[in-house]
Amino acid sequence: MSVQEEPAKGQVKEQAEERPEQHVPRQVGLGPVGWLRWGWRTLTSMKTALILLFLLALASVPGSLVPQRGVDPDKVARLYEQSPTLAEWYDRFQLFEVFTSAWFAAIYLLLFMSLIGCIIPRTATYARELRRKPPAAPRRLDRLPHSASFEGDLDVEEAARRLRRLRFRVVTGDGWVSAEKGYLRETGNLFFHIALLGILLAVGFGSLFGYRGNVLVVEGDGFANTVAAYDRFIPGSQVSAESLEPFSFQLADFKVAYQVTGDKRGQALDYDAHLKVSESPGAPARDYDLKVNDPLEIDGTQTYLIGNGYAPVFKVTDGKGQVAFDGPVPCLIEAKATMTSGCVVKVPDAQPSQLGFLLRFLPTSVPLTDGTYASAFPGEVNPEVQVLGAFKGDLGLRSGRPQSVYELAPPEVLKKLTPIVMGKDVPKPLAVGQSVELPDGVGTLQFTGVKEWVTLQIAYDPGRVPALIAAGTAVVAIALSLLIRRRRVFVRIGEGGAVQVGGLTRTEGSAAGFAEEFADIVKALSAGEKHVR
Amino acid sequence: MSAEQLAQLSDLLVVAAVLLYVFAMVAFAIELAFGKGRADKPAVASSAAPEQAVAERAEARKPVAVAAGGTTAAAEAATPPDERASAAPSDDHAAVTPSGGGAAVAGSGATGSATRAAKVALALAWVGWAAHLTAIATRGLAVDRWPWGNMYEFVVAICFAAVTAFLGTQLRYNVRFLGAFVMVAAALGLGLAVKFFYTAAGPVVPALNSYWIAIHVTAAIISSGLFTMAGVSGVLYLVRGDGVSRLPSRADLERVAHRAIVLAFPLWTFAVIAGALWADRAWGRYWGWDPKEVWSFITWVAYAAYLHAKVTAGWRGRASTIVQLVAFACLMFNLIGVNVFISGLHSYADV
Ligand code: HEM
């Protein structure tokens, strides 16, 4: 690109001052400033930009092939279990977080430095170009790619006026008019590249000052937007706990509509989480139907519905006849199509010994011919619970080690538990209201009802609106840059009213259609001729 | 008509479109086979390098050079040197001949059978196009939503966009030489959709139930169709030697490709950004490096690289055509490969 060949003025002067022996042949060496200049020039050359673009595309590829921590942390964990050595190597090269890795950053920072080095001189050139007049008309217009001639009483002033009305920039001379338009092309190109910079800044700003978090809420329960209330909270480095928008809500009801007939039987058609929302502590609650594609927004903080499942309600009476547990238990979905879910109930308060249960929830339970049971439909038509196992013994909950709520106990603790119901002892599935008596009088498990849970994502990203503005600018600007052509039209007026018009476009690739436009321009110029005849 | 009948009609029409495209392809191929061979230059008969041809034609229009030369240094600086070199000859005269001329392939002395084949081919292609359009419309009526909610519907729509891009261009410029190849691509694409991706008409998951599907997916489909036309031209560019060939000159092929990409790139940019807006509504973030997002980004960067290559000294012609085809490969991988090989949030991709 030729702009780069034109060195920045300040740089030249500086160099001349430091090295008075400027005229000495180059072989002597470039010197530090010379090297800097060379480096900058290389970085901002079109070829480097091209190579950096390739590198950026290439560097993104592993981001889609290797599981990413930010996208699918479970998959990363699984890879660590399956092939630890490979996982370690991946980790060493930051392949689990490609898009925040040092090497990815190196590429895009270089690219954006190159971009800045490209934008600055181009802006200067562009500013000069804006004030420049179109060149004088050539002598022989019939040799231009487009030309036409007609007879008329057009004079230079009138031709200039008509071209101006077509929004041409016009200069006139002795018997000629020269006009140019399509300057928006360069404007578009500059704005496009500047907008790219804007997107980068907006994304960066958003990741510093924004946060996101996930929370699971069971029907009837509530959520207040504080760091402690989240199951997973990922703040930007500049987010303080006090800055969270202080809203709260209660999940009053959750409904899913399913397709009941045809090939797509069981496919979800609509999710609806009915919330009672308080925008600030003490504010009156209002109703809100949270749906997919329709987040709840409170002052820039968005709440999204991203998942759902079942939370059957259990009541456990212990060996001493006391209620040791009573409440909903969110279950993990095992089969999405039928919403067959696995549940874990831990009862550390049971006496004389703690109790633990592994259960399976079947929303539409049907008996199979082999005597087992399965769910036939994801909706709650005939909800039943299978007891897969019951254990007694210390669940290790008081050891202080964090435990997953979806796992009865870590393997080393599980080994020490005593199974009380296993394998062939497994009773028939329980319908709502039914209970199972545990052997040896250690207690009773009752299945008392079904609730549902939702997972919500709550996100605050102050960069999203700036990013949208920059992205919108980029789209408009790139369209201008690629679709507008620079074109020139010349008019020469000879003796006796002979008018010659010539035109050309200065842009490759977008010359299509100029023939039509040229014909229209000629028509507009000669519009007066009918009256003369 | 009931929804089921409409769905059946749609399936039948897709098959009809495949057949019509195959017949059209044969007719286009006959035209190519009986047409006259051409040197790798639109006008000049010698086998000189394209640069020389460019220079020759610039010579023929000397006043243009004078006009450009009359500009100030600032204007020169604003125009990359390569662009300046080509500014004059790249005007429409040197571009693909207008449709009315109709001589780009067949040549003025072409046999009558080639001309007849050309007419038949275009007629078949248009009828196939109409069947294809009706197939999409009836599918949309049958399911009562925008008919691109799964892989099958999406691929069918992209093939339609590619054929539309070709036929639409053909209305103004003679690009019949692309016909056989666009028809092959469309017939193969439809065949692939019917054979591997077929999904019975039905509702979509709630995440896809949004007006964004109309905006985002439509833009993606149209730009993919245009990119496909550019890709076909790019392949022909590489296949065609620089000697005599029945195919049009490399300069013409390059121009067709460039024009299609210049239209498609802003649309693709828009499609990606509209996708980000939808993701912001549906998933709680506008960009999260989901595999589909990653590959859209790669595709976008690759086409940006092509546009840069077009104005970089030493990268024009063959090199930039290769860049274009790499970008096209990324696009295709994103449309099909990502759905088949990589799992992500894009739920329509279930095959
Ligand atoms: C962030 C990465 C970049 C992207 C995505 C990008 C994208 C684009 C696109 C799509 C165009 C086509 C517009 C047109 O042809 O008018 C373009 C043109 C251009 N870009 Fe970039 N660009 C990037 C970085 C750069 C850098 C680093 C430079 C400078 C070294 C640069 C210099 C140019 C120039 C000079 C043109 C004008 C070409 C012409 O006149 O047709 N770009 N860019």
Side-chain angles (χ1 to χ4, degrees), chain A residues 148-178:
Chain A
S149 55
F150 58 89
E151 306 266 309
D153 62 348
L154 198 65
D155 60 13
V156 168
E157 282 312 301
E158 181 58 19
R161 206 179 58 77
R162 288 181 184 170
L163 283 171
R164 272 197 203 99
R165 208 171 333 131
L166 295 173
R167 309 230 202 151
F168 274 92
R169 183 176 300 182
V170 176
V171 289
T172 54
D174 184 18
W176 57 264
V177 183
S178 162

Side-chain angles (χ1 to χ4, degrees), chain A residues 211 225-227 230 233 239-247 301:
Chain A
Y211 64 84
N225 192 24
T226 56
V227 173
Y230 284 94
F233 185 68
V239 175
S240 72
E242 296 83 60
S243 67
L244 269 59
E245 189 68 28
F247 63 89
T301 306

Side-chain angles (χ1 to χ4, degrees), chain A residues 1 4 43-46 49 53 111-112 114-115 118 122 185 189 192-193 196 478 481-482, chain B residues 80 83 265 300 304 307-308 311:
Chain A
M1 200 186 105
Q4 255 62 59
L43 182 64
T44 56
S45 82
M46 203 68 180
L53 278 171
L111 181 59
F112 276 89
S114 172
L115 185 56
C118 203
R122 276 170 71 86
R185 179 186 176 82
N189 188 294
F192 172 71
H193 286 92
L196 294 183
I478 189 64
S481 171
L482 287 173
Chain B
E83 188 185 307
F265 187 81
W300 183 77
L307 289 171
H308 280 191
V311 294

Side-chain angles (χ1 to χ4, degrees), chain A residues 372-394:
Chain A
T372 59
Y373 289 79
S375 177
F377 187 73
E380 183 190 324
V381 177
N382 178 31
E384 289 193 324
V385 169
Q386 283 179 303
V387 181
L388 302 183
F391 300 83
K392 65 177 182 183
D394 185 1

Side-chain angles (χ1 to χ4, degrees), chain B residues 84-100:
Chain B
R84 247 182 292 140
S86 65
S90 73
D91 216 281
D92 356 6
H93 288 281
V96 181
T97 0
S99 197

